[in-house]
Amino acid sequence: MSNSTVPTRLRLLATGGTIAGAETSGRGYRAAALSIEALVAAVPQIAALAALDVEQVARIGSQDMDEGVWRKLAARAQSALDDPAIAGVVITHGTDTMEETGYFLNLVLKTSKPVVLVGAMRPATAISADGPMNLYNAVAVAAAPESAGRGVLVVANDEIHFAREVAKTNTTQVGTFKSPNRGLAGLIHNGRLHYFGPTVRRHTAASEFAPLSAADLPRVDIVYAHAGMGRELIDAAVRAGACGLVIAGVGDGNIPAAALAACTAATQAGVAVVRSSRTGGGLVERNIEVDDDAAGFVSAEELNPQKARVLLQLGLTRTGDPQRLQAIFQDY
Ligand code: GLU
């Protein structure tokens, strides 16, 4: 809450996910079963932090998130952020693909106001549901002036993550989110924020992809590497019309010789190929075991495959040149 008598006003955009999930009679649950109004009503303490305008943008499990919903979400978020009466945006979202949506918004929203994604690992009706505290903390982060200019953030389990860094690392546990390379943006406890350093990569107000243009996002496929991998899936992706491929490579973004030959053929056919890693941490450097210069490949640097896909989709709206794409991967 600001010092003035006017409460901080935030826009809460709901998309579904487990935070809005309800247990079913068996052992499962249904994501996105509850409305955003019901979620907010479960945490009356939020009223002391900010006034919320709520809007249901989608009502899906985030495994169904796609470019169409991203585009709608970005438009609704940008419209809220452009409103001088709105101090920031909170987005409720399933955890499965939160890292991709968060990174996408980090690149396409023209703003320095806080934008915070929040989800939960346990359905709203579960014992020790984590959603209410996560939502409370997310509102606290979005309402805090010191959150401005940090890019899109993800709040869960008393942690604040940069959207660029965060990854879901565990199928069920509440501590699923990790930022393996550069670490946390900060911590939050009962609404009290403790920021560490800022992020140095370009985002939001400084992003060349913001605001999101009307240009279609091109098809980019991810191909997962493994021992004994052949070239078939790479060839199939190219035949299916992929403009770009992200290889979830073994180790330092490596792939077996047959798959490497297919990737080289793909670049010769004008398809952008980005080498990433399936390891979950570290960075893929250029020209170590693969001659990226000769093959025309791009290295994903620290981006995991799913985030490299997002950046490649946006990058391909600007250029197909591997050197220029590499510069984009070094900037963002
Ligand atoms: N599949 C659901 C989703 O991503 C459940 C995961 C969650 O929200 O925690 O929406």
Side-chain angles (χ1 to χ4, degrees):
M1 180 93 72
S2 66
N3 289 334
S4 73
T5 51
V6 181
T8 303
R9 182 162 290 280
L10 304 176
R11 183 71 48 83
L12 179 54
L13 302 176
T15 70
T18 293
I19 191 168
E23 287 166 308
T24 53
S25 48
R27 50 198 284 254
Y29 72 97
R30 199 158 55 86
L34 305 180
S35 71
I36 185 60
E37 286 80 7
L39 287 187
V40 174
V43 197
Q45 297 87 340
I46 284 175
L49 297 174
L52 300 183
D53 298 343
V54 301
E55 182 179 334
Q56 193 90 42
V57 175
R59 209 156 167 174
I60 55 177
S62 70
Q63 60 271 39
D64 288 323
M65 201 46 78
D66 61 15
E67 287 80 359
V69 187
W70 280 351
R71 192 171 280 288
K72 183 175 177 198
L73 185 58
R76 298 313 302 145
Q78 191 65 60
S79 152
L81 294 161
D82 290 342
D83 181 343
I86 299 291
V89 166
V90 175
I91 299 168
T92 56
H93 196 290
T95 57
D96 286 356
T97 62
M98 188 183 289
E99 63 199 88
E100 285 143 274
T101 301
Y103 188 49
F104 177 74
L105 296 175
N106 191 54
L107 298 171
V108 303
L109 293 179
K110 195 86 182 164
T111 190
S112 55
K113 293 179 184 177
V115 178
V116 180
L117 272 77
V118 61
M121 291 300 287
R122 296 181 182 141
T125 53
I127 298 170
S128 288
D130 51 335
M133 181 55 88
N134 285 350
L135 185 60
Y136 179 80
N137 281 338
V139 169
V141 169
E146 63 263 44
S147 300
R150 293 179 190 269
V152 173
L153 301 167
V154 167
V155 169
N157 199 35
D158 287 3
E159 294 176 340
I160 311 170
H161 297 261
F162 294 115
R164 179 183 186 273
E165 310 301 330
V166 72
K168 184 173 184 178
T169 66
N170 187 286
T171 53
T172 55
Q173 294 174 358
V174 293
T176 186
F177 285 115
K178 305 277 183 236
S179 289
N181 286 320
R182 296 184 185 230
L184 291 171
L187 293 172
I188 177 155
H189 188 59
N190 285 331
R192 296 184 299 277
L193 286 74
H194 305 271
Y195 274 115
F196 304 152
T199 177
V200 296
R201 292 301 184 109
R202 284 171 72 182
H203 59 78
T204 55
S207 170
E208 72 198 83
F209 306 110
L212 181 60
S213 78
D216 280 342
L217 292 173
R219 174 174 175 156
V220 171
D221 291 337
I222 299 174
V223 183
Y224 198 95
H226 55 86
M229 177 192 198
R231 61 176 296 152
E232 296 80 6
L233 293 182
I234 293 163
D235 291 337
V238 172
R239 270 200 310 276
C243 302
L245 290 177
V246 173
I247 306 299
V250 296
D252 191 8
N254 290 314
I255 32 175
L260 192 62
C263 287
T264 304
T267 59
Q268 284 161 359
V271 175
V273 175
V274 174
R275 290 193 307 111
S276 179
S277 174
R278 68 177 197 177
T279 58
L283 81 169
V284 173
E285 291 183 292
R286 289 185 65 80
N287 300 319
I288 303 298
E289 290 186 74
V290 175
D291 190 342
D292 293 300
D293 291 345
F297 297 155
V298 175
S299 95
E301 299 249 311
E302 301 149 45
L303 295 182
N304 67 22
Q306 51 273 33
K307 283 192 195 170
R309 175 178 179 270
V310 171
L311 184 56
L312 183 56
Q313 284 185 291
L314 289 167
L316 283 170
T317 65
R318 298 290 190 275
T319 181
D321 174 54
Q323 284 183 355
R324 287 182 60 204
L325 286 169
Q326 187 66 68
I328 285 171
F329 273 80
Q330 272 147 3
D331 266 0
Y332 295 90

